[in-house]
């Protein structure tokens, strides 16, 4: 009551309570949202409005773990991931196109990986390793083929992952690049992580090197 919230938070709150957004329009000074009850309340996902947030992610052996990040999206954004994908699909770097959930400062802290720093907590706890595929949400992970998932389940997620540049033209390219890392890691873990660690840092600081 008596406060302004973003469209993202309003939609996210409704979706968490089981509603699907059908239409939104302005009526005078008011905004009207038409929605339909579609499912039960998602009580197993606890929303966070803090600067440091916890997000549920798929990990080793298919287990679900919490990953810490600095907030770059509006509160309740996690409940709208499927809708954003269905509406906007993915860009060539595996991110959602025109993602309205990102705050005005979110693009800046994402560009310089500032939002990823809290994952040091997860590394110290042993939930992730330095190099590896980033732990994914259940919705995003569902986009990958079965052969990829079987390999992903065998490797602990990482903080520094393969990076995609301008030559990455499709989600299939992203799958291929990540799968190359998984195949190499399953054959030679130490060599794979050292190779991708230096290749990724080279690309971040100098550009032009494809992991």
């Amino acid at each position: 009551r008596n406060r302004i919230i973003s469209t993202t938070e309003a939609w996210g709150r409704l979706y968490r309570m089981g509603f699907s957004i059908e239409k939104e329009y302005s009526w005078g000074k008011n905004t009207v949202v038409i929605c339909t009850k579609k499912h039960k309340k998602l009580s197993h996902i606890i929303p966070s409005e803090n600067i440091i947030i916890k997000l549920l992610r798929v990990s080793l052996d298919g287990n679900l773990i919490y990953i810490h990040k600095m907030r770059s999206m509006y509160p309740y954004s996690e409940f709208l991931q499927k809708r954003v994908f269905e509406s906007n699909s993915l860009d060539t770097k595996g991110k959602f196109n025109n993602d309205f959930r990102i705050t005005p400062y979110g693009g800046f802290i994402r560009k310089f990986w500032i939002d990823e720093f809290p994952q040091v907590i997860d590394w110290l706890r042993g939930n992730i390793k330095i190099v590896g595929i980033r732990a994914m949400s259940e919705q995003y992970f569902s986009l990958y083929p079965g052969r990829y998932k079987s390999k992903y389940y065998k490797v602990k997620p990482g903080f520094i992952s393969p990076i995609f540049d301008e030559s990455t033209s499709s989600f299939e390219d992203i799958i291929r690049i990540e799968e190359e890392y998984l195949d190499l890691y399953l054959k030679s873990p130490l060599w794979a992580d050292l190779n991708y660690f230096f290749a990724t840092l080279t690309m971040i600081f100098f550009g032009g090197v494809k992991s």
Side-chain angles (χ1 to χ4, degrees):
R1 292 179 179 271
N2 301 319
R3 74 182 182 94
I4 298 174
I5 63 175
S6 64
T7 297
T8 299
E9 182 174 348
W11 286 17
R13 285 177 176 272
L14 286 167
Y15 189 83
R16 182 174 184 252
M17 298 305 296
F19 292 94
S20 174
I21 310 300
E22 306 297 337
K23 186 178 180 181
E24 179 181 284
Y25 63 92
S26 297
W27 183 25
K29 295 182 178 180
N30 300 310
T31 298
V32 179
V33 179
I34 308 298
C35 51
T36 306
K37 184 75 171 181
K38 290 290 184 68
H39 54 80
K40 295 180 179 179
K41 177 183 176 181
L42 303 177
S43 55
H44 67 291
I45 304 177
I46 308 300
S48 172
E49 300 183 46
N50 300 321
I51 295 178
I52 305 298
I53 60 175
K54 295 194 304 181
L55 300 172
L56 205 59
R57 293 291 185 259
V58 181
S59 183
L60 185 68
D61 297 325
N63 295 320
L64 295 178
I65 61 172
Y66 279 106
I67 291 294
H68 293 78
K69 297 187 73 173
M70 183 176 292
R71 178 175 296 285
S72 62
M73 293 184 174
Y74 292 106
Y76 289 79
S77 292
E78 59 269 33
F79 298 101
L80 300 177
Q81 191 173 68
K82 183 178 180 180
R83 182 184 180 92
V84 174
F85 170 73
E86 292 174 345
S87 300
N88 303 341
S89 191
L90 303 175
D91 62 20
T92 57
K93 296 183 180 180
K95 303 295 184 181
F96 293 110
N97 282 309
N98 303 316
D99 196 342
F100 62 87
R101 301 174 301 162
I102 299 176
T103 64
Y105 64 84
F108 174 81
I109 67 172
R110 285 176 160 224
K111 180 178 180 180
F112 296 99
W113 289 26
I114 298 172
D115 61 317
E116 307 287 352
F117 288 170
Q119 289 184 44
V120 171
I121 299 171
D122 308 305
W123 174 64
L124 292 173
R125 290 179 173 177
N127 291 333
I128 63 173
K129 55 195 185 73
I130 295 295
V131 179
I133 309 299
R134 291 183 184 175
M136 305 180 209
S137 67
E138 293 178 273
Q139 190 280 325
Y140 193 89
F141 188 64
S142 70
L143 305 177
Y144 285 77
R147 71 171 193 281
Y148 176 100
K149 292 178 181 178
S150 64
K151 298 173 184 177
Y152 180 95
Y153 290 147
K154 297 177 183 177
V155 181
K156 187 180 291 187
F159 174 72
I160 298 177
S161 61
I163 288 183
F164 318 108
D165 58 20
E166 289 73 13
S167 64
T168 308
S169 60
S170 66
F171 184 58
E172 286 67 31
D173 280 347
I174 293 172
I175 295 174
R176 175 182 55 79
I177 292 170
E178 291 184 345
E179 200 165 12
E180 286 174 356
Y181 165 77
L182 293 173
D183 287 337
L184 182 59
Y185 184 88
L186 291 172
K187 291 179 181 178
S188 180
L190 181 59
W191 167 247
D193 280 0
L194 286 174
N195 180 39
Y196 276 80
F197 177 80
F198 289 109
T200 302
L201 290 185
T202 298
M203 186 172 183
I204 292 172
F205 293 108
F206 301 104
V209 178
K210 184 176 180 179
S211 298

